[in-house]
Amino acid sequence: MAAANEDEILEGFLCPICKADLKSATQLTNHFESLHQEEQDVLKSLKEIFGKAKKIILNNDETELKETFDRALKFNSQEYYYPNEEQSLGVSRSSTDYFRGVRSARLERYATETNKLLIRLDKLVCNMPSEPNQRKAFEQEVVPWLDGSSVKLCPNCAKAFNLTRRKHHCRLCGSLLCHDCSVFLDLTVAKSIVDPSIPQTSTQPDQEVTEKNGLRLCEHCYNLIELRKQIQERRNAKTAFVTAYEQMRSLMDQARPAVAMYEKMCQSLFDGETTYNLADVNAMRGKIGKLAEGIDLLSKQIVAHPAEPGTRQARLQNSIRQAAAHYIKEDLLSLRKLPTEGQIEEVRRERYERAQKQIQLERERRERERDWREEAAGSGSRVEHADVDENNPLIEQMNIIRGYIKDARKELRFEEVAILETNLKELKKEYQLQMLSNKP
């Protein structure tokens, strides 16, 4: 055994007297000066050895650096001419498959772990009891908690558990941790992660997420869930180009019924109807003009979006701009010309005269029928009817509908105006028939 110890090779900053490893040259020198003062010759030779070794190392480094610099200058100063001759390909090896294999294994590991956590998160969030007292037992049933009876330190921060630093469990993996190492995930955010169709309504910025309105997680689980949330947001995020196009399509969808309503209102004026007036049609025309301005502005923003000339995206942007300009020109700017006030009055006067003639003919017909019924009954006297007073229910209903029509016109709800005007005409017709029947 002694022979084996003598043949053993020792390495390091060893004391030549006691064979102790001092780890550094400074410690070795101090050790020798303090414990082996009688061996001054050995100490002197030791210092000389260290000095020469240091000098040689520094000189070699400077020499190698100078030679490397000289070679670099010489390489850069040389001019190389490559003749136009065909060269054969050398040996090459593709590392793509190896890279994909390593990358796929790593991604699969993270994806599998994240999917497992998402399944547990879905069970915790969707089936969570409303009673706070039952929540802890439910969470422990979904994710089994680790037994912490023999754990004395927090695995994350290595601080001892005591009365002030209690043991807690991650709700997704069940591992132990202290309160300082816990991270809370908002329940509304968790619901939006497991079901992206649910709109995310997170808590207020000044409201702290606690165990009452969140889930206690460890840092590892929280980072995996947060990474999946970021991936979802990147996938669902819309570029400025897509946002502008969707806004333009929304304005076009609003413009189509507005143009149809404008044509209907214009035709009503040309027909002499009193459902709409000239101010209503002008207001609708102004609304269409604002929609056209918005569509034009958004189409210009789309075509100005940066894109490489000649690419598919550039051609798409130009096509959208041309389609928007054509739509504005053909459908929004080429609207029907409105009649003047004089034309409207003339048409309404003619319509009124025709209505009066029709009412007169209807009145004569009813009188003839009434005379025929009285003659057939052998009665020579006519029944006297009382005049309709101001408390007639038909008049009250007509006044109420006129008030509704006035309010609808102020808010540019012309579809509602048309319906109310139709009801008002029916009431007027009924009132006129009532007056004809009551007239002696």
Side-chain angles (χ1 to χ4, degrees):
M1 191 70 181
N5 292 334
E6 290 177 0
D7 295 339
E8 185 180 358
I9 299 175
L10 301 178
E11 295 180 356
F13 293 90
L14 303 177
C15 176
I17 306 299
C18 62
K19 301 296 189 296
D21 187 3
L22 279 306
K23 307 299 182 183
S24 67
T26 305
Q27 294 182 6
L28 176 59
T29 306
N30 296 334
H31 165 77
F32 204 86
E33 289 178 351
S34 60
L35 299 180
H36 308 291
Q37 295 180 359
E38 66 278 1
E39 302 291 343
Q40 293 298 326
D41 295 337
V42 178
L43 178 61
K44 184 177 179 180
S45 60
L46 190 62
K47 289 183 177 180
E48 290 178 357
I49 292 173
F50 285 146
K52 289 180 181 180
K54 185 176 181 182
K55 187 176 180 181
I56 291 172
I57 293 173
L58 293 177
N59 289 337
N60 288 341
D61 291 343
E62 292 177 359
T63 304
E64 291 179 0
L65 181 63
K66 184 177 180 181
E67 291 177 355
T68 303
F69 186 69
D70 292 341
R71 285 197 301 270
L73 289 177
K74 183 178 179 181
F75 178 80
N76 292 332
S77 62
Q78 290 179 354
E79 296 182 356
Y80 293 92
Y81 297 95
Y82 298 97
N84 296 327
E85 60 181 13
E86 219 175 292
Q87 296 183 358
S88 59
L89 292 175
V91 178
S92 62
R93 183 178 63 182
S94 176
S95 301
T96 304
D97 295 337
Y98 171 75
F99 168 75
R100 287 178 177 174
V102 174
R103 181 175 180 270
S104 299
R106 181 169 298 181
L107 290 179
E108 184 178 358
R109 179 168 61 87
Y110 282 112
T112 304
E113 187 176 358
T114 305
N115 291 336
K116 187 187 298 183
L117 295 180
L118 288 175
I119 294 172
R120 294 177 178 177
L121 184 63
D122 183 38
K123 293 180 180 179
L124 287 172
V125 172
C126 297
N127 303 324
M128 181 175 294
S130 57
E131 293 294 333
N133 299 331
Q134 303 174 0
R135 179 174 168 180
K136 184 176 180 180
F138 169 75
E139 293 173 346
Q140 198 167 1
E141 180 183 355
V142 174
V143 180
W145 292 359
L146 296 179
D147 184 15
S149 58
S150 61
V151 180
K152 305 300 181 182
L153 303 177
C154 174
N156 192 28
C157 62
K159 294 182 179 179
F161 291 118
N162 49 41
L163 292 176
T164 58
R165 183 176 290 103
R166 296 175 54 244
K167 297 177 184 178
H168 298 281
H169 291 83
C170 174
R171 275 21 179 200
L172 291 183
C173 65
S175 60
L176 281 166
L177 70 162
C178 65
H179 179 75
D180 296 337
C181 298
S182 302
V183 185
F184 291 96
L185 179 65
D186 193 354
L187 287 176
T188 55
V189 177
K191 292 179 181 178
S192 66
I193 292 174
V194 297
D195 189 1
S197 61
I198 299 177
Q200 180 176 343
T201 55
S202 183
T203 55
Q204 300 296 330
D206 55 348
Q207 184 177 357
E208 184 181 1
V209 182
T210 60
E211 198 166 2
K212 294 182 179 179
N213 57 356
L215 289 173
R216 185 188 296 272
L217 305 179
C218 63
E219 188 175 356
H220 177 70
C221 294
Y222 182 84
N223 290 336
L224 290 178
I225 296 297
E226 187 68 20
L227 180 60
R228 177 57 63 91
K229 176 188 171 186
Q230 294 175 4
I231 294 174
Q232 287 181 355
E233 290 176 351
R234 283 198 297 268
R235 288 178 178 175
N236 299 330
K238 297 178 181 178
T239 61
F241 172 78
V242 176
T243 303
Y245 179 75
E246 289 182 350
Q247 292 176 356
M248 187 186 73
R249 294 296 305 175
S250 176
L251 293 181
M252 287 182 175
D253 294 339
Q254 297 177 31
R256 290 189 184 92
V259 171
M261 190 66 195
Y262 175 82
E263 294 293 335
K264 181 180 178 181
M265 295 168 73
C266 283
Q267 188 62 39
S268 175
L269 293 180
F270 280 110
D271 293 341
E273 297 178 356
T274 58
T275 305
Y276 309 104
N277 53 39
L278 195 59
D280 297 338
V281 186
N282 282 326
M284 179 58 71
R285 190 183 185 96
K287 179 181 178 181
I288 295 174
K290 291 181 179 179
L291 291 174
E293 291 178 0
I295 295 172
D296 183 66
L297 179 61
L298 290 171
S299 63
K300 289 180 179 178
Q301 291 179 2
I302 291 174
V303 78
H305 193 74
E308 291 293 333
T311 59
R312 184 177 179 182
Q313 182 177 351
R315 292 194 298 270
L316 176 62
Q317 293 175 197
N318 292 328
S319 300
I320 292 174
R321 170 59 184 166
Q322 293 174 5
H326 182 268
Y327 176 76
I328 293 172
K329 180 180 178 181
E330 297 296 330
D331 295 351
L332 301 185
L333 298 184
S334 59
L335 295 176
R336 195 174 184 181
K337 188 178 179 181
L338 293 176
T340 61
E341 289 284 354
Q343 293 175 344
I344 295 174
E345 291 297 331
E346 180 66 21
V347 173
R348 286 181 177 177
R349 184 180 61 78
E350 294 177 356
R351 183 183 179 89
Y352 177 75
E353 290 177 357
R354 290 195 300 270
Q356 288 297 322
K357 290 179 181 180
Q358 186 176 359
I359 292 173
Q360 183 65 28
L361 293 174
E362 183 70 19
R363 184 180 300 168
E364 292 175 358
R365 185 182 66 80
R366 285 181 173 273
E367 287 180 355
R368 286 195 300 268
E369 291 179 355
R370 185 170 52 190
D371 292 341
W372 178 78
R373 286 195 300 268
E374 290 177 355
E375 290 176 359
S379 173
S381 62
R382 295 185 177 179
V383 181
E384 297 294 333
H385 296 278
D387 294 333
V388 180
D389 56 5
E390 296 180 356
N391 295 327
N392 194 318
L394 293 177
I395 295 178
E396 293 180 1
Q397 292 181 14
M398 286 189 290
N399 292 333
I400 293 172
I401 291 178
R402 288 190 183 99
Y404 290 157
I405 291 173
K406 185 177 179 181
D407 296 336
R409 277 203 173 102
K410 287 182 181 179
E411 300 180 5
L412 301 180
R413 300 197 306 266
F414 295 112
E415 289 287 347
E416 186 176 342
V417 170
I419 297 173
L420 293 174
E421 286 286 355
T422 303
N423 295 336
L424 183 61
K425 287 180 182 179
E426 293 177 356
L427 289 176
K428 286 182 178 179
K429 186 177 180 180
E430 184 68 24
Y431 178 71
Q432 290 173 356
L433 293 175
Q434 187 181 27
M435 293 297 293
L436 290 173
S437 61
N438 292 336
K439 187 174 180 179

